[in-house]
Amino acid sequence: MPEPYQLTATQLLAGYRTHTFSPSEVAGALVEHINRWEPHINALYAYQPDAFIKAAEASTQRWAKDEPNGALDGVPVTLKELIATKGMPVPVGTGLGEQAPATEDAPPAARLAEDNALLLAKTTCPDFGMLSSGLSSFHGLTRNPWDLACNTGGSSAGAGAAAAAGLGPLHVGTDIGGSVRLPAAWCGVVGFKPTLGRIPIDPYYVGRCAGPMSRCIEDAALMMTALARTDRRDAMRLPPEKIDWMDLGLDIKGLRVGVMMEAGCGLPLDDEIRHQVEQAAKHLEAAGATLVPLAPVLTREMLDGLDHFWQARQWSELLKLSAEEREQVLPAILAWADGGARLSGVDAVQGFQQTMMMRRATESVFDEVDAVISPTTPNIAFPAEWPSPTNDPRQPFEHIAYTVPWNMGEQPAISLNAGFSSGDMPIGVQLVGSRFADHFVLKLARLLEERLALPMRWPTLPTDKVGAQ
């Protein structure tokens, strides 16, 4: 039998029902596993094992009476630290500013608590969630479990590392330009960005979504049963809809799948990634889909415009800090965001208008096809200490060209592991559907996951303290 930390959430629930093991037994084994891994990868924030064990004991008592309370009762879960939990500050990767404890759970935290998932910890993120990196001025450096010398990506850095290392089966990240899917790809796990508003979130913003991160599609679907419940605090939420998220069967005969191998701008695509994505597309073709070559949706003008808009937005956030506090922010963030101080109001508005151009371009794709398959990232790996794959604060978004258009267009997109490189690093493949087709995207991903039939692999626990924080 696999170790408890290797079991999926659905397997844990099945074991609880049959009394094969209890939430307390799982929690105890998981704490031991975390004690071995966490010094190497630094994925967790506000980890409170005693409170976790106590909550598991209460869940064990409910299951012993065959009276679980909630669909996730006793299943360990983490939340990205940007997702507020009552009584805990939200350091946004910096720990600067007032740092008052949150007065209530944000919607994703509230939904999981309602289902009695066991909150194991929060997970790390870079400063302001504005880097695709495991580097943070507050949390320190989060490393990739597959190779401690490599980056996790971000900004859901800790969630990607925790999922890959088996620090619980369920994790929730946030994504405004690829921050769920990018670390999922670089860490070899599943990362799902739903249609904007499908999972209520607070604070809400253009393109900002919460999303499941897990080791399999079924667990991502299981999380959607909780996370997709409505919450009026999100004024951009979708209307409530009855969806059987666990129904993952799909016949794709006659489906038109667009193959988008080029991003339109940004970093060039690595040949090994190209090969793996092409192979994944052939699996869909073998299942009955028709493959349709697609041109990129993103242009240089779009990406640069978004960069300017985000610079202005980030500079406005930095102005809320004192001069002394600003000096404590990561140099890469400061070197990038200070460009916002030199942009005019017209520049910022013109930059924002490029998000509308992305929306138009992405939506028009689905006049031709039912779904899109593409790489998730252009590169396989980059050094752990770098703030981005370019290591250039003036070009921090060259790696998000495959992911960010679907945030601005609001379409659901998922990354899953397509295989491993010659250097044994994970390679992600992305699937995208039209707006509101979240359930379809999960079904398509499950079909591809089954067709790929990758053997379960786990990172090797380091035997020394290299990379320990």
Side-chain angles (χ1 to χ4, degrees), residues 225-303:
T225 64
L227 296 174
R229 293 200 296 269
T230 194
D231 193 305
R232 192 169 292 277
R233 287 175 290 174
D234 185 349
M236 301 172 77
R237 72 195 181 283
L238 297 183
E241 187 175 353
K242 289 185 178 179
I243 297 174
D244 182 1
W245 293 103
M246 300 306 291
D247 173 11
L248 293 172
L250 181 66
D251 182 354
I252 64 170
K253 290 183 177 63
L255 201 75
R256 291 173 61 82
V257 176
V259 182
M260 190 177 292
M261 295 304 301
E262 302 304 325
C265 58
L267 292 173
L269 181 62
D270 185 279
D271 287 341
E272 287 189 88
I273 298 177
R274 183 184 299 275
H275 173 73
Q276 292 286 15
V277 175
E278 287 173 346
Q279 293 303 112
K282 288 179 181 178
H283 279 294
L284 297 181
E285 186 177 40
T290 298
L291 301 183
V292 181
L294 285 181
V297 290
L298 196 68
T299 66
R300 185 80 254 173
E301 186 179 13
M302 290 176 186
L303 188 59

Side-chain angles (χ1 to χ4, degrees), residues 315-328:
W315 184 248
S316 72
E317 292 298 312
L318 289 171
L319 289 177
K320 297 175 183 178
L321 303 175
S322 68
E324 292 76 15
E325 287 175 323
R326 281 199 296 274
E327 291 177 359
Q328 299 176 53

Side-chain angles (χ1 to χ4, degrees), residues 4-216:
Y5 69 85
Q6 295 177 321
L7 297 175
T8 68
T10 49
Q11 289 172 331
L12 289 179
L13 290 168
Y16 297 162
R17 290 189 196 99
T18 59
H19 303 286
T20 304
F21 44 76
S22 71
S24 288
E25 292 171 310
V26 170
L30 185 54
V31 167
E32 291 182 6
H33 181 66
I34 290 169
N35 289 343
R36 292 190 291 268
W37 261 109
E38 178 61 4
H40 298 283
I41 59 175
N42 186 39
L44 305 182
Y45 163 66
Y47 172 48
Q48 299 175 319
D50 292 342
F52 173 63
I53 293 291
K54 184 176 180 180
E57 291 170 351
S59 178
T60 295
Q61 293 175 11
R62 292 190 292 272
W63 279 104
K65 300 174 185 176
D66 291 320
E67 296 176 353
N69 184 14
L72 298 173
D73 198 341
V75 178
V77 65
T78 72
L79 290 161
K80 187 176 181 178
E81 66 104 312
L82 296 179
I83 299 171
T85 48
K86 186 176 180 179
M88 190 176 295
V90 182
V92 293
T94 69
L96 301 174
E98 185 180 350
Q99 293 298 301
T103 57
E104 59 182 358
D105 285 344
R111 299 295 83 76
L112 294 169
E114 289 167 0
D115 276 0
N116 271 302
L118 304 182
L119 181 60
L120 172 66
K122 309 294 282 290
T123 50
T124 61
C125 71
D127 294 28
F128 304 102
M130 284 307 298
L131 292 177
S132 190
S133 173
L135 189 61
S136 163
S137 62
F138 178 74
H139 298 295
L141 180 58
T142 299
R143 294 178 180 270
N144 194 316
W146 292 102
D147 184 340
L148 298 183
C150 291
N151 211 296
T152 56
S155 62
S156 302
L167 310 191
L170 303 183
H171 310 270
V172 183
T174 62
D175 189 318
I176 198 171
S179 289
V180 160
R181 290 157 290 156
L182 294 168
W186 282 315
C187 293
V189 300
V190 172
F192 181 42
K193 180 208 79 70
T195 301
L196 185 74
R198 178 69 71 192
I199 296 175
I201 192 169
D202 184 30
Y204 47 87
Y205 198 74
V206 175
R208 185 174 189 247
C209 301
M213 299 179 72
S214 61
R215 275 194 155 264
C216 64

